[in-house]
Amino acid sequence: MASLLELKEIFRSADAVCFDVDSTVIKEEGIDELAKFCGVGDAVAEMTRRAMGGTVTFKAALTARLGLIRPSYEQVQKLISDNPPQLTPGIRELVSRLQQRGVQVFLVSGGFQSIVEHVALQLNIPTANVFANRLKFYFNGEYAGFDETQPTAESGGKGKVITHLKEQFHFKKVVMIGDGATDMEACPPGDCFIGFGGNVIRKQVKEKAKWYITHFDELLKELEER
């Protein structure tokens, strides 16, 4: 097992950094915001807590939550325009600094493509670098389920994305940063996991992560060390 010093060195020399989005890159949980917007906030927030704690499979939790919300295409678009996701302090500067160093930045999320792409746009991350779940709609805009073939639709999916990135781009060192159990599980194949507690602290992640931060400034400082 790598020591904290070794993890810091991996981060400073990484080819690619993958960020979780909900409660990491942005302050909110996208699915909870969508649920509130659609009038089923409390029931879905409770399901999210269980999913993030790792007590139910991600796909089962996602299916159940979306079955309650049943968001229409119009509702998703209105949520983005009326209540755009709020970026976590320091993320814009960190992503910019990583990109200046030639590091590839990816958003790997169990959230929804349309919302995550909106976030990517704000951070100058190409949409090709977004891996997230895709909602499906009927021709009239009603909810028709989600694309279950996306790797991010199930537990262990973020690790599959990292394996894919390593195979496709021959990255030697890939870092995963996030607040939840699904992020921690992505290492390995990821080479370094950094737990993030700036928006919400997940007990299991805080206890198990070798490197745990509560502000992105801590990572900016690490980059300046070199």
Side-chain angles (χ1 to χ4, degrees), residues 32 42 44-55 65 202:
D32 289 350
D42 291 346
V44 170
E46 179 52 40
M47 285 184 182
T48 298
R49 271 195 292 277
R50 290 207 300 270
M52 295 306 291
T55 53
R65 288 180 292 176
R202 317 273 181 206

Side-chain angles (χ1 to χ4, degrees), residues 60-81:
L62 185 61
T63 304
R65 288 180 292 176
L66 282 171
L68 264 180
I69 304 168
R70 302 194 66 77
S72 68
Y73 177 79
E74 189 182 346
Q75 283 173 318
V76 174
Q77 296 310 311
K78 194 159 167 50
L79 171 70
I80 294 168
S81 62

Side-chain angles (χ1 to χ4, degrees), residues 9-63:
E9 180 49 39
I10 290 169
F11 173 67
R12 285 197 295 266
S13 58
D15 310 294
V17 175
C18 297
F19 287 93
D20 170 50
V21 177
D22 294 337
S23 297
T24 299
V25 167
I26 62 173
K27 293 178 180 180
E28 315 90 347
E29 283 287 323
I31 195 163
D32 289 350
E33 295 305 303
L34 187 57
K36 273 188 246 171
F37 197 74
C38 296
V40 288
D42 291 346
V44 170
E46 179 52 40
M47 285 184 182
T48 298
R49 271 195 292 277
R50 290 207 300 270
M52 295 306 291
T55 53
V56 278
T57 69
F58 185 81
K59 189 181 251 182
L62 185 61
T63 304

Side-chain angles (χ1 to χ4, degrees), residues 110-171:
F112 306 120
Q113 188 90 13
S114 47
I115 297 173
V116 177
E117 283 185 355
H118 177 83
V119 173
L121 200 63
Q122 293 181 69
L123 296 171
N124 296 314
I125 295 171
T127 53
N129 288 19
V130 168
F131 292 85
N133 287 315
R134 295 174 186 273
L135 293 170
K136 296 196 293 195
F137 303 98
Y138 293 112
F139 287 118
N140 63 359
E142 285 181 9
Y143 174 68
F146 64 96
D147 182 355
E148 297 192 23
T149 66
Q150 293 296 317
T152 47
E154 55 192 321
S155 303
K158 292 180 181 181
K160 285 181 186 162
V161 171
I162 290 175
T163 297
H164 162 75
L165 293 177
K166 285 188 162 188
E167 287 169 356
Q168 186 175 357
F169 298 107
H170 307 292
F171 294 138

